[in-house]
Amino acid sequence: MTVVVAALLGSAYALGRSLVPDQVPPGHSAGATTSADGPHYADQPSGGEPSGGAPTGTPSAGTGPAETGQDGSGQDAGTDNLFGAHATSGSPRLALTFDDGPDPRYTPQVLALLREYDVHATFCVVGENAQNHPDLIQAIVNEGHTLCNHSWHHDVGLGARSADAIRSDLLRTNAAIRAAAPNAPIVWYRQPGGAWTYPVVSVARQLGMTPLHWSVDPSDWELPGAAKITATVLTQAEPGSVVLLHDAGGNRQGTVDALRRILPDLTARFELEALPTDPT
Ligand SMILES: [Zn+2]
């Protein structure tokens, strides 16, 4: 069984590499991070891997998934790396998603802006942050937003671990969320770095969570500045878009400032939604 899983992983990795040989942007290739303060939780491949070298435990990191946002359709070659993860909202409505929190510096600012524009969104939270900031988990839930599991410690390589290890990580994260908000539905899972594998998708589904990717990615974790984040989102947004933003994992003031510019425009052009808590 182990051999079979390993073979599947290897095949999936090889397939992904062959389909998207040159779509990895420079900033994603070898951990040459534009640095951010604080822990590195952004949805990016982990650093230190030899670019183009042998996989060493993070089979999908550094390959195509992060690129699927470029055309926003979810129909490009990168889709093959998603293992069935949803890259769009499944409706004409646009979904804003905020990853890696909660963070006491930025999550309250994001919540305030969403409240100001009467917008509901989806928060993909990291288990240890949920444990450390239960009040913010409660605020997210109480204000009508949707929760999404984003692993315990933002493990980009989680998909390469055993099914038991993946299950343990996801359950630990859900337990931390439920310790803060006992009745909150947690029906979405987003793999850190978008580094999907067949095992991580399977385990998430077994636990009642639908894998969630994205279709618009302004790479706000690279700190391009509010103007660029704003321009990317407003240019690429279309009905059904799932927009990837971060409210933690570094200095996210640029994201907060961008959100202040993005919300008036998006709310004029689209209906925005928190992803449903009863996905089919
Ligand atoms: Zn993340």
Side-chain angles (χ1 to χ4, degrees), residues 41-43 99-100 150 154 192-193 246:
Y41 279 150
D43 285 295
D99 282 23
D100 301 1
H150 198 37
H154 205 275
H246 295 82

Side-chain angles (χ1 to χ4, degrees), residues 13-264:
Y13 177 79
L15 180 63
R17 297 287 295 185
S18 65
L19 285 171
V20 286
D22 54 6
Q23 292 198 357
V24 181
H28 288 226
S29 61
T33 57
T34 46
S35 66
D37 58 314
H40 278 269
Y41 279 150
D43 285 295
Q44 52 187 294
S46 60
E49 296 160 32
S51 58
T56 56
T58 53
S60 291
T63 59
E67 280 301 283
T68 57
Q70 284 204 330
D71 63 11
S73 70
Q75 299 298 313
D76 58 337
T79 303
D80 291 309
N81 277 358
L82 299 185
F83 298 92
H86 290 208
T88 58
S89 72
S91 79
R93 294 182 288 275
L94 181 146
L96 295 178
T97 64
F98 296 92
D99 282 23
D100 301 1
D103 182 304
R105 292 164 293 181
Y106 306 110
T107 305
Q109 296 186 67
V110 169
L111 288 173
L113 282 167
L114 294 175
R115 197 183 313 127
E116 182 179 339
Y117 286 90
D118 195 22
V119 165
H120 290 139
T122 300
F123 287 78
C124 297
V125 301
V126 171
E128 60 183 355
N129 293 344
Q131 184 179 60
N132 291 334
H133 305 290
D135 54 321
L136 294 176
I137 295 293
Q138 290 161 6
I140 290 168
V141 172
N142 291 340
E143 298 196 27
H145 306 293
T146 293
L147 287 170
C148 167
N149 181 320
H150 198 37
S151 86
W152 179 259
H153 186 61
H154 205 275
D155 185 356
V156 172
L158 185 62
R161 299 174 67 194
S162 71
D164 283 348
I166 296 169
R167 184 174 296 107
S168 171
D169 185 294
L170 270 51
L171 285 173
R172 186 183 184 193
T173 302
N174 281 354
I177 294 170
R178 292 217 165 93
N183 299 317
I186 311 167
V187 300
W188 297 97
Y189 173 73
R190 176 173 278 162
Q191 168 58 29
W196 299 104
T197 63
Y198 178 74
V200 82
V201 163
S202 298
V203 171
R205 288 194 187 282
Q206 287 164 14
L207 296 178
M209 295 184 284
T210 300
L212 174 65
H213 197 68
W214 57 81
S215 60
V216 174
D217 176 12
S219 295
D220 62 332
W221 56 269
E222 293 187 303
L223 309 182
K228 188 150 188 236
I229 295 169
T230 302
T232 301
V233 172
L234 295 186
T235 302
Q236 296 186 8
E238 60 184 27
S241 290
V242 174
V243 179
L244 173 66
L245 294 166
H246 295 82
D247 63 333
N251 184 339
R252 299 291 171 249
Q253 199 57 50
T255 299
V256 172
D257 293 344
L259 191 61
R260 190 174 287 110
R261 306 181 197 182
I262 287 167
L263 283 171

